[in-house]
Amino acid sequence: MYFAALLARTEDGWEASDTELDDVETLTDLADLAREAAVDDDTVVAFIEQEDAWFGVIRVDGEDDPRVFLSNAAAAAKSSYGAMLTDELIGRDEDDAADDLDSLDLDGTEDGEPEPEPDDNVDDNDPLESVNGSDGPPHGPLGDAALLSDLGVSEKELLALDGDALGTIADSLGCTEVLEAVR
């Protein structure tokens, strides 16, 4: 079960709206939805939560690129909306040209460079290797943990959140009542 909400900052505080993610397939779609909720191109924060398994915060400031934070990338990657955000953060693209090459049936007789030998110096426990390799997203946070620093939630505080993380963030932003109205 998902919970999603958009909080748009206004001169008078925050306005929240429950948001439907059925038509959201990419981070760009989500950013466009957030921009539609914006008042005078001000900050919009989107919250996505899946039954205390993970939460995501997406911040959109006007036409700037969205900033994303996921509390647990591995858990998020197991759900459709979380996978969309995780793939965006680690640079996977469904239309990636490399995927197109992987789908070709090559029999090894093509001209070109031979496959590189496996690197024995690669640390299988390196978290960056798991992000860039085929092991999938890291277990734990992923993204821009400082995205709410100027709004009252430090990077350290965001990384330490568990339980009702969205409620804690809303408290820091000063919009608890507004968020609870759409919950």
Side-chain angles (χ1 to χ4, degrees):
M1 179 83 154
Y2 288 100
F3 168 73
L6 294 174
L7 286 96
R9 192 161 80 176
T10 70
E11 289 180 9
D12 301 324
W14 293 89
E15 292 179 5
S17 60
D18 189 13
T19 188
E20 186 60 46
L21 298 178
D22 288 345
D23 295 330
V24 173
E25 294 180 7
T26 65
L27 180 57
T28 301
D29 294 342
L30 184 57
D32 289 344
L33 187 65
R35 287 184 184 102
E36 289 173 15
V39 176
D40 297 325
D41 284 338
D42 210 342
T43 300
V44 176
V45 178
F47 292 134
I48 301 175
E49 179 181 56
Q50 184 181 17
E51 296 178 359
D52 295 328
W54 64 272
F55 70 90
V57 180
I58 301 89
R59 177 177 177 164
V60 178
D61 294 298
E63 291 301 318
D64 292 347
D65 288 338
R67 297 166 63 189
V68 179
F69 173 79
L70 294 172
S71 65
N72 186 328
K78 294 177 184 175
S79 66
S80 59
Y81 299 116
M84 167 193 66
L85 297 171
T86 303
D87 288 350
E88 185 77 27
L89 287 171
I90 62 175
R92 282 193 227 156
D93 185 5
E94 290 178 16
D95 298 326
D96 194 349
D99 291 342
D100 293 341
L101 290 176
D102 289 342
S103 68
L104 295 175
D105 183 21
L106 302 176
D107 63 3
T109 60
E110 295 78 23
D111 292 332
E113 305 237 355
E115 293 268 333
E117 293 296 320
D119 186 356
D120 292 334
N121 296 324
V122 172
D123 182 0
D124 290 335
N125 295 320
D126 182 1
L128 294 177
E129 185 64 29
S130 69
V131 169
N132 298 322
S134 60
D135 294 337
H139 294 274
L142 181 66
D144 183 357
L147 80 164
L148 299 175
S149 293
D150 63 323
L151 299 175
V153 181
S154 73
E155 182 175 350
K156 184 178 178 180
E157 291 169 320
L158 189 60
L159 290 169
L161 289 176
D162 60 357
D164 184 20
L166 299 186
T168 302
I169 294 169
D171 284 343
S172 295
L173 296 178
C175 60
T176 303
E177 290 178 17
V178 176
L179 181 64
E180 290 303 319
V182 294
R183 264 194 171 168

